[in-house]
Amino acid sequence: MDVLVKQATWEAEGVLSLVLVDPDGAELPTWTPGAHLDLHLGDRLRQYSLCGDPADRGRYRVAVLHAKESRGGSAYVHERLRPGQTVRIDGPRNHFTLEPSPRYLFVAGGIGITPILPMVRQVAAEGRDWRLVYGGRGRRSMAFHEELAGYGDRVEIVPQDERGLLDLDALLGTPGPDTLVYCCGPEPLLAAVEARCAAWPPGSLRLERFAAKPQDFGPDAPFEVVCQRSDVTVRVDPGVSIVDALEETDIWLSSACREGICGTCETRVIDGTPDHRDSLLSEEERAAGKVMLPCVSRALTKRLVLDL
């Protein structure tokens, strides 16, 4: 659908938020904390977390960091999108859902605060036990820290230029009873949090990545994909993704990021064993082998049967 850019606001140094509304004033589709939108930015498709209020059906809010190593998406938002213009969106979609828990620990780094913000709003409104630790280079670059100040000492702001890096050993060194940890931010933070949560009970950690996780895979082997509903079998050669191989036979599978981070192409596995190479599915989902992200993942068996 097309939405109107109603408002653009500087939330921090290099961080611009956009308020998006229906051009005719209609209500927008519902969403839950952790959801993101796909924005069509010229010939690019980029994912941005919703950071507004899910109860407000009249508007969406996203916040975009003008990344120095931008692949074009953030530059487009900062340099070309202005109030009064329209932009096409897909979604909302949510692969970072807020699960019920007696208590929560939120860890955010930089622009990673965006999906965490509506989570904090919800658990605070529900009277849950929670804490947020939010790190960034400096206060001037940390979006929404003034908005978060209203939660008092449940929120700890840690600007690196004032206090150094987050003390993850103190924060995560001892597993918290009945606690879910939600973390979003740059890859070094996510990797450090993952390492420290390895001693926590399985399923305690939820991560949201803005870029694919660095991973080292062995050489690719060819395999076959059987599309059960289409009654088509496709050979997937080394160096070719399942999505690309399917497109060669006119089977089109929606895939927004092609990096294994957005979940748009998630597909049910009927038979065979996936070689999971995404940065989205949980360890439990990978072990179950019932779904996969064919934009990056491959097969450990010679044949995969997919619900396509």
Side-chain angles (χ1 to χ4, degrees):
M1 65 179 295
D2 289 335
V3 292
L4 180 72
V5 180
K6 181 72 172 179
Q7 181 179 334
T9 305
W10 288 108
E11 303 292 352
E13 191 176 77
V15 179
L16 185 68
S17 74
L18 303 177
V19 171
L20 309 173
V21 301
D22 184 275
D24 299 320
E27 288 190 338
L28 296 167
T30 58
W31 61 282
T32 54
H36 71 265
L37 293 176
D38 299 330
L39 268 65
H40 294 255
L41 306 172
D43 60 353
R44 306 167 185 86
L45 192 62
R46 297 291 185 263
Q47 294 75 45
Y48 298 107
S49 298
L50 284 160
C51 58
D53 183 357
D56 186 350
R57 296 289 305 281
R59 60 179 57 199
Y60 291 147
R61 182 176 70 169
V62 298
V64 181
L65 171 67
H66 196 171
K68 292 181 180 179
E69 304 299 325
S70 171
R71 296 170 299 158
S74 70
Y76 188 103
V77 170
H78 279 253
E79 297 168 12
R80 300 182 61 178
L81 274 188
R82 297 292 181 267
Q85 295 179 333
T86 58
V87 60
R88 178 166 290 275
I89 63 169
D90 296 325
R93 299 187 179 91
N94 199 341
H95 292 274
F96 192 42
T97 55
L98 184 65
E99 304 291 344
S101 178
R103 58 187 56 85
Y104 300 89
L105 173 59
F106 301 106
V107 182
I111 198 63
I113 191 61
T114 51
I116 300 294
L117 198 60
M119 293 184 179
V120 164
R121 182 181 291 109
Q122 178 170 316
V123 298
E126 293 174 349
R128 305 274 184 158
D129 185 1
W130 65 278
R131 180 187 178 195
L132 164 64
V133 181
Y134 174 22
R137 296 189 310 275
R139 290 182 188 274
R140 293 177 60 186
S141 68
M142 297 174 70
F144 307 116
H145 71 85
E146 293 180 354
E147 188 172 322
L148 288 163
Y151 295 107
D153 59 8
R154 286 191 180 271
V155 175
E156 183 179 2
I157 304 295
V158 186
Q160 185 177 344
D161 58 358
E162 298 175 24
R163 299 181 50 187
L165 296 173
L166 297 180
D167 188 350
L168 296 179
D169 290 328
L171 194 63
L172 300 166
T174 302
D178 299 320
T179 301
L180 287 183
V181 180
Y182 281 80
C183 180
C184 185
E187 182 57 39
L189 172 65
L190 300 180
V193 168
E194 273 188 309
R196 286 160 178 82
C197 284
W200 286 55
S204 297
L205 177 62
R206 306 285 195 276
L207 296 176
E208 171 92 320
R209 282 186 158 88
F210 293 138
K213 178 181 179 180
Q215 301 180 76
D216 186 20
F217 301 105
D220 292 346
F223 60 96
E224 286 187 339
V225 168
V226 178
C227 304
Q228 181 163 284
R229 285 188 285 114
S230 303
D231 193 25
V232 171
T233 299
V234 176
R235 175 185 168 91
V236 182
D237 289 318
V240 178
S241 73
I242 295 176
V243 169
D244 287 340
L246 293 175
E247 288 182 356
E248 289 294 322
T249 58
D250 291 330
I251 296 177
W252 300 90
L253 178 61
S254 179
S255 179
C257 71
R258 305 242 171 176
E259 296 182 56
I261 59 173
C262 75
T264 308
C265 67
E266 183 176 308
T267 301
R268 187 168 71 91
V269 178
I270 297 171
D271 190 33
T273 304
D275 178 9
H276 294 291
R277 301 188 178 190
D278 63 275
S279 301
L280 180 70
L281 297 179
S282 68
E283 291 303 318
E284 292 79 11
E285 289 172 318
R286 292 181 178 211
K290 294 181 178 179
V291 295
M292 69 180 298
L293 302 187
C295 67
V296 292
S297 295
R298 300 184 65 80
L300 295 174
T301 47
K302 292 184 178 180
R303 189 170 176 264
L304 272 181
V305 182
L306 302 180
D307 184 21
L308 293 170

